[in-house]
Amino acid sequence: MIKIFYLIISPCLIFGIIFACSDSNIKLNQKDIIHLNSDTCNDPDRDDINCHFEYMPENVSSKVKIADDSVSGMRIIIKSRLLKSDGITPIPNAYLFHYQTDKNGYYPKNGNEKGIHKWTGYLHGWNKTDENGYCEIHTIRPAQYPTNDFPAHIHSVVKLNENSKPFYINDYVFKDDPLVTEKYTGNLNFQGGNGIVAFDEDSSGVKIGKRDIILNKINHSCPK
Ligand SMILES: [Fe+2]
């Protein structure tokens, strides 16, 4: 009986995952897939983009604190607007997932992470755009990887509504990072602008940056 189950279910499962990465119009039933195979999201390549939302809390606000006060580093706030291709019309009630390195360029782990967070680490969080398309990240400034071959960055994934397929936007990077070059911006793969954030400093010493995320084309490709 068990063999028959696997003969029928396994091909469907594999086909479902491949299809989810190849068809931009698909409506998701990803939770079912994830729950059928609990290891699907334990993937160092993060090929299944839906996994970024597997553990999203029920109540998500427009502000997310990725790094609590116990995490050392330069405190930053990034205020974003999610906009349609005209650069004006806000996109409300969209979910964003963010993950980043720490001040030493590592994705830090506590050892009790689940699913995709075994790879993204604990410096992650979700927020939801408000009625004006605004959302905020409160965190520490990430560092370049120890290899110093890629700009310091915050990865972000957008999910426009409960049932839509998520997609990556270009990383948040920082204007004063010497690795943010024309070569870097010339090789960007996703949408949402170049992601370059410049900081001003508020009266409390927190660095505050802004970004307009303009969605000019939906790219559902799976990152490598
Ligand atoms: Fe990264």
Side-chain angles (χ1 to χ4, degrees):
M1 190 66 186
I2 292 174
K3 283 183 178 177
I4 292 171
F5 174 81
Y6 280 114
L7 280 171
I8 296 171
I9 294 299
S10 295
C12 295
L13 186 60
I14 292 167
F15 177 79
I17 293 170
I18 293 171
F19 189 59
C21 279
S22 60
D23 185 341
S24 62
N25 295 316
I26 191 169
K27 293 293 184 185
L28 293 181
N29 196 12
Q30 194 62 31
K31 280 188 177 176
D32 292 341
I33 294 174
I34 289 168
H35 292 150
L36 270 172
N37 182 354
S38 60
D39 289 328
T40 299
C41 292
N42 182 2
D43 174 9
D45 294 326
R46 297 173 283 278
D47 276 344
D48 185 351
I49 196 167
N50 303 289
C51 293
H52 293 303
F53 293 87
E54 184 184 19
Y55 293 106
M56 184 173 72
E58 289 215 356
N59 296 316
V60 179
S61 76
S62 61
K63 297 180 183 178
V64 62
K65 194 167 191 175
I66 292 176
D68 64 31
D69 295 342
S70 69
V71 180
S72 64
M74 177 193 295
R75 313 310 302 190
I76 63 172
I77 297 172
I78 304 176
K79 301 179 178 184
S80 300
R81 286 191 308 165
L82 189 64
L83 303 169
K84 292 187 176 180
S85 58
D86 61 8
I88 300 171
T89 309
I91 302 176
N93 303 316
Y95 299 96
L96 290 91
F97 172 71
H98 315 277
Y99 65 100
Q100 64 169 92
T101 59
D102 61 15
K103 68 173 185 176
N104 297 313
Y106 294 98
Y107 292 100
K109 286 113 185 165
N110 286 320
N112 58 357
E113 286 79 13
K114 297 176 182 176
I116 198 75
H117 306 304
K118 291 180 179 178
W119 304 95
T120 65
Y122 60 75
L123 288 182
H124 70 257
W126 297 264
N127 51 14
K128 182 180 183 181
T129 56
D130 68 13
E131 64 275 16
N132 297 310
Y134 280 99
C135 61
E136 290 184 13
I137 303 169
H138 295 234
T139 187
I140 59 157
R141 179 167 175 158
Q144 297 170 3
Y145 294 142
T147 48
N148 298 118
D149 57 356
F150 196 74
H153 57 283
I154 300 172
H155 294 293
S156 290
V157 182
V158 174
K159 184 177 170 77
L160 294 175
N161 59 58
E162 299 277 352
N163 298 313
S164 69
K165 183 175 178 179
F167 52 89
Y168 274 86
I169 57 172
N170 289 319
D171 298 334
Y172 288 80
V173 294
F174 309 105
K175 189 175 182 181
D176 59 359
D177 187 328
L179 293 181
V180 176
T181 61
E182 286 187 11
K183 182 181 178 186
Y184 169 77
T185 57
N187 287 317
L188 294 173
N189 292 321
F190 301 107
Q191 60 175 321
N194 59 25
I196 299 174
V197 173
F199 287 114
D200 293 320
E201 197 162 314
D202 75 2
S203 56
S204 66
V206 177
K207 304 278 189 182
I208 298 181
K210 294 179 180 177
R211 175 184 183 181
D212 280 351
I213 305 168
I214 300 171
L215 300 184
N216 46 15
K217 59 182 169 60
I218 302 296
N219 178 359
H220 281 125
S221 63
C222 293
K224 297 298 180 187

